[in-house]
């Protein structure tokens, strides 16, 4: 993405751009008041047009006003952020996305945001937070996975976004907000790119190479285990799932020591890295199978988050663990009825080879104990059942520590990567009882997201743990305001916010 983001000291009248964006709230009576800062000629015009278009300032509403030489830029886009009592930073992200989409439609290249119009409305948020929301809406909405088109449409893209304000002090804050927000968006976009890449491009070896190249560029460590080492370490679940594929598995370990003290207990993130999930011998139906190239969304989120945390130089130690494999049917594939011995010695009966995510995560969760973690959070596109339960607007959350889950809830509301807790009641445990092994990898028709969570719980060590089933929000079937159809990069902003706001 080569959209330039800049801050500038300027007035609305003087700013030079193809379109100026001005945020307006949904208080009909006060729209006129909000427009009072405009030159009289523009104010009258804006009022007239907003009346004509029946513009109410609702979130996502937009109204174009010709400048008639009252300002330097050719026109103004009034964009709604909704009702004041319902203000969340999310409204700004969406308004920013709406404004840029409209500007792009109008063939604008250089778009300027009147920062003060947002700061006035969102007075309870800091300038940095407001900047971050505007930048996220801008950068993430203009994302497009167009790598595989032989003809690029770069000419249609927005090339520069300017945030301007009249005060030097505010411009300074905008500048630092932009640099942080850019790092976070680049991390999210990395995750999206990895998700959207087809499985003939991203498979275990190349996923590991992507992690290594990020580590090298941004100064953290990345260790990659090949098959022989995975065998030595007795990761039976990962080996079983990969046994049907000609592509060898990898186990990826990302390490960032921000405290400079290797003794400080790390935050551990585990990401499901199934680079293609055909279902294996329990093969999936053909419809929508292509989306299963994104069954490594958890891994993508972990790589994006660790990269971002490292680039922001946050004062924590973080370890990312990624079991990476394909799940394919073949003569060598794991079969229904097989018994697998996982890292740590526990066994599982594979009743359905399509419930492969939990098999590889079990090894990683058991291994995580050796890192003496402060906590472990796993992210996985684990179950279709979770998508049935929550749709695409929330991540399913289960775990053994209320405090950590609460922190995730708060981070989820702030970033709008919202999480929703599901219960791990004891009764569900019986559903995954096996007649011949310690546990069975499926639990029958009901409560599928929860029985998957319970399976993982059987393999955790003595640590605080949260499981995030991102199957819904990671893989979008329709465009959302600032996330196009496809991989959303969900999890990156959530984890970064969690770490950023830690204690
Ligand atoms: N990767 C899928 C889950 C999934 C489905 C993610 C749809 C995103 C969208 C997972 O490996 C799987 O196939 N789970 C099975 C479990 C079942 C066999 C118990 C499922 O959800 O159907
Ligand atoms: Zn599966
Ligand atoms: Zn899967």
């Amino acid at each position: 993405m080569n959209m330039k983001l800049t801050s500038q000291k300027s007035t609305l009248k003087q700013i030079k751009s193809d379109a100026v964006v001005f945020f307006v709230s949904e208080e009909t009576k006060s729209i006129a008041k909000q427009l009072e800062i405009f030159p009289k000629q523009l104010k009258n015009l804006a009022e007239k047009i907003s009346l004509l278009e029946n513009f109410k300032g609702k979130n996502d509403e937009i109204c174009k006003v010709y400048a008639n030489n009252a300002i330097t830029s050719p026109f103004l886009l009034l964009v709604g952020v909704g009702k004041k009592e319902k203000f969340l930073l999310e409204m700004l992200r969406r308004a920013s996305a709406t404004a840029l989409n409209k500007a792009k439609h109008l063939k604008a290249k250089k778009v300027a945001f009147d920062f003060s119009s947002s700061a006035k409305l969102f007075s309870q948020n800091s300038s940095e937070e407001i900047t971050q929301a505007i930048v996220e809406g801008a950068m993430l909405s203009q994302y497009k996975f167009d790598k595989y088109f032989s003809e690029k449409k770069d000419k249609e893209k927005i090339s520069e976004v300017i945030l301007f304000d009249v005060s030097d002090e505010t411009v300074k804050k905008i500048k630092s907000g932009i640099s942080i927000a850019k790092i976070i968006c680049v991390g999210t976009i990395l995750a999206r790119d990895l998700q959207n890449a087809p499985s003939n491009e991203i498979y275990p070896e190349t996923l590991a190479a992507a992690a290594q190249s990020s580590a090298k560029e941004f100064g953290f460590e990345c260790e990659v285990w090949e098959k022989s080492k995975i065998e030595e370490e007795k990761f039976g679940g990962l080996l079983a799932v990969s046994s049907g594929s000609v592509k060898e598995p990898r186990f990826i370990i990302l390490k960032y020591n921000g405290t400079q003290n290797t003794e400080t207990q790390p935050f551990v993130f585990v990401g499901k890295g199934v680079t293609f999930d055909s279902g294996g011998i329990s093969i999936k139906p053909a419809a929508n199978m292509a989306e299963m190239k994104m069954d490594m969304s958890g891994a993508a989120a972990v790589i994006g988050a660790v990269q971002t945390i490292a680039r922001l130089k946050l004062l924590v130690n973080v370890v990312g663990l990624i079991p990476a494999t394909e799940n394919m049917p073949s003569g060598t594939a794991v079969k229904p009825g097989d018994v697998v011995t996982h890292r740590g010695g526990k066994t599982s009966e594979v009743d359905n080879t399509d419930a492969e995510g939990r098999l590889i995560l079990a090894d990683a969760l058991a291994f995580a104990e050796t890192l003496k973690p402060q906590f472990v959070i796993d992210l996985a596109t684990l179950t279709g059942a979770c998508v049935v339960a929550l749709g695409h607007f929330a991540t399913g959350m289960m775990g053994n520590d209320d405090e950590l889950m609460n922190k995730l809830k708060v981070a989820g509301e702030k970033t709008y990567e919202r999480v929703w807790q599901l219960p791990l009641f004891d009764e569900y445990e019986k559903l995954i009882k096996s007649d011949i092994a310690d546990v069975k990898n499926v639990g029958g028709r009901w409560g599928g997201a929860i029985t998957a969570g319970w399976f993982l719980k059987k393999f955790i060590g003595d640590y605080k743990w949260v499981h995030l089933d991102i199957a819904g929000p990671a893989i979008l079937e329709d465009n959302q305001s600032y996330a196009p159809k496809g991989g959303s990069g969900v999890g990156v902003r959530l984890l970064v916010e969690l770490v950023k706001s830690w204690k």
Side-chain angles (χ1 to χ4, degrees), residues 272 277 284 292 295 352 354-356 358 381-385 387 442 471 475:
K272 173 179 174 182
D277 181 11
K284 287 181 181 293
M292 286 299 115
D295 208 19
N352 186 319
D354 196 12
E356 83 297 340
R358 61 199 78 181
T381 45
L382 204 62
T383 66
V387 191
V442 291
I475 303 173

Side-chain angles (χ1 to χ4, degrees), residues 92 95 215 300 366 500:
L92 269 181
K500 243 173 111 209

Side-chain angles (χ1 to χ4, degrees), residues 58 75 81 164 190 203 302 333 361 366 401 421:
K58 286 190 184 140
F75 55 81
V81 291
F164 69 91
L190 168 65
Y203 45 90
V302 169
L361 291 171
D401 190 76
Q421 192 182 353

